Amino acid sequence: PTKFYDDYLNEFLPEETTTKILEKVKVTMKIRGQEEKKVWGDNDILIVAYPDNVQDAEAICIISCKISLRERVYQSIFWAAHSRIEGIAKHTFVTLDKGDKKGNSEIGNRGRNNRARKTRDVLESTMDRVYVFRGADEVDRSYVIKDFEYLQTDLARWREDYFGL
């Protein structure tokens, strides 16, 4: 990314603000025997907010979007864990949860016969929220697993918490 867009003011954020945010969301990687470097993680969407002054803007949420959970979910978890170590933003995961070959949820349902899958356990213990586009009868909601409609409420609350509003 090279620019952040303020959809409220209908304009791009100043270049110096964008540069500051982009540098803050990179994570430090240290490969044995090599110098550490800053890298861009699995940041599909960055939610940027500010209290009053655009110069105070910060990334408050990183959203990782996946159609299916196979394989890619663990990449998102890896990057979220690294970012969390460095104290970078809230981490959310959004998925259609296309399901397995029989159409059953890839995440599973904790309430019905405790058919939660290992992937669900890992997502619930790593991500701040997981937003799923599946019915509640297919994927039992929890403190972490929510319908996509909760995203706007969570973002407003996280902005208030982040800036102490």
Side-chain angles (χ1 to χ4, degrees), residues 3-161:
K3 296 179 181 181
F4 288 117
Y5 191 74
D6 185 323
D7 60 351
Y8 180 73
L9 295 176
N10 201 28
E11 62 187 37
F12 289 102
L13 295 183
E15 186 177 337
E16 60 275 3
T17 302
T18 297
T19 301
K20 174 190 81 164
I21 292 168
L22 290 175
E23 282 305 309
K24 281 188 169 184
V25 297
K26 290 180 181 177
V27 295
T28 304
M29 298 299 287
K30 174 73 171 101
I31 299 171
R32 289 180 185 92
Q34 297 181 17
E35 290 184 32
E36 69 180 33
K37 60 184 175 180
K38 294 281 196 175
V39 298
W40 183 258
D42 186 30
N43 305 327
D44 293 329
I45 300 172
L46 288 178
I47 303 298
V48 175
Y50 51 91
D52 295 315
N53 190 340
V54 71
Q55 282 73 27
D56 297 327
E58 296 288 344
I60 63 165
C61 181
I62 296 171
I63 301 175
S64 179
C65 307
K66 303 294 178 264
I67 293 173
S68 174
L69 302 186
R70 290 181 200 90
E71 299 144 17
R72 299 285 313 227
V73 70
Y74 289 99
Q75 290 179 23
S76 296
I77 290 167
F78 171 83
W79 291 110
H82 270 280
S83 294
R84 180 160 288 134
I85 289 168
E86 296 186 34
I88 303 170
K90 297 284 188 182
H91 291 271
T92 63
F93 188 84
V94 176
T95 181
L96 293 176
D97 186 359
K98 287 177 35 176
D100 60 18
K101 291 179 182 178
K102 296 179 183 176
N104 297 319
S105 167
E106 291 179 277
I107 292 176
N109 191 323
R110 205 172 287 295
R112 194 175 56 207
N113 301 326
N114 197 20
R115 291 184 47 223
R117 305 201 178 183
K118 182 171 57 172
T119 300
R120 179 181 178 130
D121 292 338
V122 174
L123 280 168
E124 283 186 296
S125 65
T126 309
M127 296 290 175
D128 292 290
R129 290 288 187 275
V130 176
Y131 301 101
V132 182
F133 287 92
R134 268 195 176 255
D137 59 328
E138 299 173 283
V139 180
D140 189 39
R141 302 304 184 247
S142 69
Y143 178 77
V144 174
I145 301 205
K146 305 279 186 193
D147 291 325
F148 184 73
E149 291 77 30
Y150 283 91
L151 177 61
Q152 186 173 0
T153 301
D154 286 339
L155 290 174
R157 185 176 308 122
W158 292 338
R159 178 185 175 271
E160 290 171 4
D161 290 349

